[in-house]
């Protein structure tokens, strides 16, 4: 904040200048003291100037918001968001602002992988003035093993990105085994953030208690992957800030909250996150409001529940002079609630303006110019190659490594002769230069051909029982410039175009949610039995989940760190 702005705030607080906005007659939840008491809030520009009983800053030019009988709580913060799942970050913000979320700390993986540091900068700059405040974590490494990772994640670009005013962390760091092992290359990258006073967002899924000390010593400052209360404590005891997660893939919050019963002091530091929840889940349940409600329903005192979604994340990121509480100097981000028990707000004030009312967002959220974010032919998927059935041919061997899905995202490797119920699968280079063929079991036996650009390595994932249907699905996908295409026999029977980088639609969240439900229904009809098909597709190429993955180098055994079935050039 500039000194001139601070001087104006002091003038309003003294009653020497008019407030722009005055919220009158509400009961404040003070997250700093845990008290609830009646008071008023005066706002100048984007910031709170005064909290108290006086009214001398209310003048003819002041907009007065009547909050009598209402409760004022700070705008909600999600500290760990993947904001480019099918919809744009702006579309997500447009939806969640009306649900009370005024700050998102977002992942940058998609932009980085499709356009490097300049794509990140374009998105971050476009959203810098958004009523929903965007802060960013910068990825130190890819999600899928390739030989050109150094080129895609150069150190100097990482340094540049971390210097962006809205960058607050490195993350998320999924290669926790490398941190545990003290890998100097990775630790050096993490130190770039730590040396600037920024955070390191960890992903320590499956790390056992005795490994946490080395992981914490290596520099990870938070973790959001606990799936039991025990894991929460294992991490919290070693000083790692825990984010309790309730996502569409892992709706675990109710169980995780048990950790607060064993260790009530945790409430002073724990945070809540929806992680990368898909649009259908957000539409049905809500966003941070849903997390706060769940916490209160599980017996967490309201003050603690709201703190975990406001002050705690603000403090964790070192942003508590800007965010997380209703107090002078902070952004005027205020949820006006009918009742403390119901976190979905009646009115939302963001950056000092009435931003949403009765579930409707009233202020425009800027949309990045996606043509400037995704500039290369590969990112836009403007390519001339086309798939052929023989691209999905498998080597002629008596046995092959078959990836069996045992949950929505976890696989097991079966080394055996192919069976008729196995699906062909392949990761295909966006440029058409290589193909990594595989066999998959347990996805859905009646899928003829499915192709998508939704994958953690941003190439094309195809699977199905008929190579001809697979080729057709891939080719339709190329014509759409990305998305999801379902083929039955030799006909395209369902498609979702995601022309923004092959990963996002320009549609709003409710429409995307409806399409997502259609896909889930169609895949269920074809034998898919898990709850989150988009994450199944997304994570099939992620090299950090057990037990094997489809990567550009081939079928990758995650634990043994070796290729089970190599990729090959497409000739
Ligand atoms: Fe995450």
């Amino acid at each position: 904040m500039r000194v001139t702005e601070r001087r104006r705030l002091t003038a309003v607080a003294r009653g020497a200048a008019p407030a722009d906005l005055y919220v009158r007659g509400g009961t404040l939840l003070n997250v700093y003291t845990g008290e609830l008491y009646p008071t008023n809030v005066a706002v100048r520009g984007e910031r709170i100037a005064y909290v108290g009983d006086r009214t001398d800053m209310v003048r003819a030019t002041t907009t007065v918001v009547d909050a009598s009988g209402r409760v004022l709580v700070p705008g909600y913060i999600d500290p760990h968001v993947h904001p480019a799942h099918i919809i744009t970050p702006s579309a997500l913000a447009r939806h969640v602002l009306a649900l009370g979320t005024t700050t998102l700390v977002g992942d940058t993986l998609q932009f980085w992988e499709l356009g490097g540091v300049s794509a990140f900068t374009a998105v971050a700059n476009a959203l810098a003035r958004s009523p929903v405040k965007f802060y960013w974590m910068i990825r130190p490494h890819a999600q899928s093993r390739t030989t050109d990772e150094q080129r895609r994640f150069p150190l100097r670009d990482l340094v540049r990105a971390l210097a962006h005013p809205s960058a607050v962390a490195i993350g998320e760091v999924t290669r926790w085994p490398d941190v545990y092992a003290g890998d100097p290359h990775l630790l050096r990258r993490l130190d770039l953030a730590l040396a600037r006073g920024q955070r390191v967002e960890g992903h320590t899924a499956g790390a056992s208690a005795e490994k946490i000390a080395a992981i914490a010593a290596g520099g990870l400052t938070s973790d959001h992957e606990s799936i039991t209360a025990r894991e929460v404590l294992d991490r919290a005891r070693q000083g790692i800030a825990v984010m309790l997660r309730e996502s569409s893939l892992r709706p675990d919050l109710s169980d995780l909250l048990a950790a607060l019963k064993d260790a009530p002091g945790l409430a002073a530091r724990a945070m809540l996150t929806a992680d990368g929840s898909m649009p259908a889940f957000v539409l049905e349940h809500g966003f941070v409001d849903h997390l706060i409600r769940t916490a209160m329903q599980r017996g967490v005192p309201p003050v603690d529940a709201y703190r975990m979604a406001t002050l705690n994340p603000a403090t964790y990121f070192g942003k508590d002079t800007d965010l997380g509480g209703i107090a002078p100097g902070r952004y005027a981000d205020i949820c006006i609630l009918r009742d403390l028990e119901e976190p979905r707000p009646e009115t939302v004030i963001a950056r000092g303006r009435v931003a949403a009312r009765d579930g409707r967002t009233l202020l425009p959220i800027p949309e990045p110019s996606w043509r400037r974010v995704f500039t290369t032919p590969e990112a836009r998927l403007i390519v001339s190659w086309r798939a052929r059935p023989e691209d999905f041919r498998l080597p002629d061997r008596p046995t092959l490594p078959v990836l069996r899905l045992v949950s929505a995202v976890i696989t097991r490797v079966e080394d055996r002769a192919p069976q008729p119920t196995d699906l062909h699968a392949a990761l295909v280079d966006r440029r058409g230069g290589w193909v990594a063929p595989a066999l998959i079991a347990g996805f859905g036996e009646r899928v003829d051909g499915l192709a998508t650009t939704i994958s953690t390595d941003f190439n094309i994932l195809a699977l199905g029982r008929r190579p001809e249907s697979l080729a057709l699905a891939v080719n339709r996908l190329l014509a759409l410039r990305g998305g999801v295409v379902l083929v039955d026999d030799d006909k395209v029977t369902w498609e979702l175009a995601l022309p923004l980088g092959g990963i996002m639609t320009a549609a709003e969240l409710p429409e995307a949610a409806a399409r997502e439900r259609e896909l889930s229904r169609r895949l269920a009809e074809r034998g898919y039995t898990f709850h989150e098909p988009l994450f199944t597709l997304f994570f099939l190429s992620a090299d950090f989940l057990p037990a094997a993955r489809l990567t550009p180098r081939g079928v990758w055994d995650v634990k043994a760190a070796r290729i089970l079935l190599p990729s090959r050039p497409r000739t």
Side-chain angles (χ1 to χ4, degrees):
M1 192 183 352
R2 289 170 190 274
V3 173
T4 47
E5 194 178 352
R6 262 193 208 290
R7 290 192 66 220
R8 285 189 197 117
L9 295 180
T10 61
V12 173
R14 293 193 307 272
D20 292 330
L21 185 87
Y22 191 84
V23 184
R24 185 175 58 198
T27 296
L28 173 77
L29 175 71
N30 191 314
V31 290
Y32 305 106
T33 65
E35 299 168 286
L36 263 171
Y37 52 87
T39 196
N40 310 302
V41 182
V43 175
R44 169 68 170 80
E46 300 184 339
R47 305 266 179 169
I48 294 168
Y50 171 79
V51 180
D53 298 332
R54 282 180 17 238
T55 58
D56 50 346
M57 63 289 289
V58 179
R59 311 277 172 83
T61 54
T62 306
T63 303
V64 176
V65 175
D66 182 15
S68 26
R70 301 292 188 257
V71 181
L72 312 181
V73 299
Y76 310 144
I77 302 170
D78 190 324
H80 185 93
V81 181
H82 301 285
H85 279 161
I86 313 178
I87 52 171
T88 66
S90 311
L92 179 67
R94 274 191 282 277
H95 189 82
V96 302
L97 177 54
L99 308 179
T101 299
T102 52
T103 301
L104 301 172
V105 180
D107 178 23
T108 50
L109 176 70
Q110 277 87 345
F111 315 129
W112 198 278
E113 282 284 29
L114 295 168
V117 65
S118 60
F120 155 67
T121 311
V123 174
N125 289 348
L127 291 169
R129 306 291 311 149
S130 156
V132 173
K133 277 146 293 297
F134 280 86
Y135 295 89
W136 302 100
M137 50 180 146
I138 311 298
R139 290 270 180 167
H141 60 68
Q143 297 298 281
S144 204
R145 307 272 165 170
T146 55
T147 45
D148 64 344
E149 182 165 323
Q150 290 293 334
R151 184 184 60 74
R152 282 157 45 227
F153 290 81
L155 211 55
R156 62 169 193 282
D157 286 357
L158 194 56
V159 172
R160 267 179 66 198
L162 286 169
H164 192 278
S166 59
V168 290
I170 272 191
E172 72 181 84
V173 183
T174 48
R175 292 184 187 161
W176 66 259
D178 293 1
V179 179
Y180 174 75
D183 174 68
H185 300 289
L186 184 51
L187 295 198
R188 191 168 158 224
R189 286 172 175 248
L190 307 190
D191 193 57
L192 293 173
L194 295 169
R196 300 178 58 94
Q198 296 168 325
R199 303 297 173 202
V200 180
E201 303 312 290
H203 162 116
T204 67
S208 56
E210 77 276 6
K211 292 203 163 120
I212 301 299
I215 290 169
L220 298 199
T221 59
S222 85
D223 179 71
H224 62 285
E225 294 287 342
S226 294
I227 57 172
T228 64
R230 182 73 245 169
E231 287 185 347
V232 170
L233 283 181
D234 290 342
R235 284 149 181 78
R237 283 175 178 172
Q238 302 286 341
I240 289 180
V242 289
M243 297 173 179
L244 309 178
R245 175 173 60 186
E246 171 88 350
S247 72
S248 57
L249 181 60
R250 296 277 348 176
D252 296 326
L253 183 58
S254 291
D255 296 337
L256 302 180
L257 290 165
L260 292 172
K261 292 214 171 69
D262 297 333
L266 197 55
R269 192 146 194 255
M271 298 168 260
L272 307 175
T273 181
D275 201 353
S277 289
M278 288 292 174
F281 185 87
V282 177
L283 186 68
E284 185 176 343
H285 299 284
F287 202 60
V288 178
D289 54 312
H290 168 62
L291 312 181
I292 298 168
R293 190 183 304 109
T294 304
M296 290 192 291
Q297 283 168 353
R298 295 291 294 183
V300 175
V303 174
D304 287 341
Y306 283 98
R307 251 189 209 138
M308 287 194 286
T310 57
L311 182 60
N312 290 5
T315 306
Y316 167 71
F317 284 111
K319 292 284 174 194
D320 55 313
T321 55
D322 286 326
L323 306 167
I326 299 176
R330 277 70 173 178
Y331 282 114
D333 293 344
I334 301 168
C335 294
I336 304 179
L337 311 180
R338 289 182 189 85
D339 189 323
L340 196 61
E341 299 297 317
E342 178 43 68
R344 192 164 289 194
E346 183 180 60
T347 302
V348 182
I349 294 167
R351 273 194 204 265
R353 296 170 70 192
V354 176
R357 209 168 246 147
D358 296 321
R360 282 192 41 237
T361 293
L362 305 173
L363 294 181
I365 307 271
E367 189 75 52
S369 162
W370 295 107
R371 290 187 64 79
R372 267 191 229 144
V373 175
F374 303 126
T375 55
T376 62
E378 296 83 46
R380 293 184 187 170
L381 218 61
I382 305 171
V383 293
S384 56
W385 67 275
R386 290 295 177 262
R388 302 149 307 195
E390 56 266 34
D391 290 333
F392 307 101
R393 179 176 37 84
L394 286 151
D396 196 11
R397 288 199 217 153
T399 67
L400 285 165
V402 181
L403 274 59
R404 174 169 293 279
L405 279 163
V406 293
S407 78
V409 296
I410 306 296
T411 66
R412 189 176 69 210
V413 182
E414 296 172 354
D415 201 39
R416 58 167 170 77
Q419 293 169 2
T421 52
D422 296 336
L423 299 186
H424 285 269
L427 196 65
V428 190
D429 178 18
R430 278 192 182 217
R431 297 175 203 85
W434 49 260
V435 57
L439 282 173
I440 293 215
F443 183 86
E445 292 174 5
R446 295 180 298 283
V447 175
D448 284 348
L450 176 71
T452 182
T453 34
I454 297 176
S455 95
T456 52
D457 92 322
F458 305 100
N459 285 300
I460 294 167
L461 178 71
L463 64 171
R465 57 185 173 181
R466 289 183 73 240
E468 298 78 10
S469 305
L470 281 169
L472 175 59
V474 170
N475 291 337
R476 178 61 190 159
L477 188 74
L478 295 176
L480 291 177
R481 310 247 164 102
V484 188
V485 174
L486 188 62
V487 167
D488 288 308
D489 201 4
D490 56 5
K491 249 182 83 188
V492 174
T493 50
W494 188 87
E495 64 187 29
L496 168 64
L498 299 173
L500 308 176
I503 55 170
M504 298 177 293
T505 160
E508 298 300 313
L509 184 141
E511 191 187 329
R515 304 301 319 277
E516 189 192 335
R517 285 186 183 136
E518 283 173 27
L519 176 65
S520 295
R521 197 180 62 240
R522 282 166 188 268
L523 289 179
E525 285 165 7
R526 284 157 184 77
Y528 180 85
T529 57
F530 305 112
H531 69 293
E532 192 60 299
L534 286 174
F535 270 120
T536 303
L537 300 170
F538 190 63
F539 281 133
L540 266 172
S541 56
D543 69 0
F544 54 89
L545 289 163
R549 299 285 130 182
L550 259 173
T551 76
R553 288 159 64 187
V555 176
W556 173 259
D557 182 325
V558 175
K559 202 155 189 192
R562 68 187 180 94
I563 300 290
L564 301 176
L565 191 64
S567 58
R568 62 171 183 252
R570 267 185 84 260
T571 44

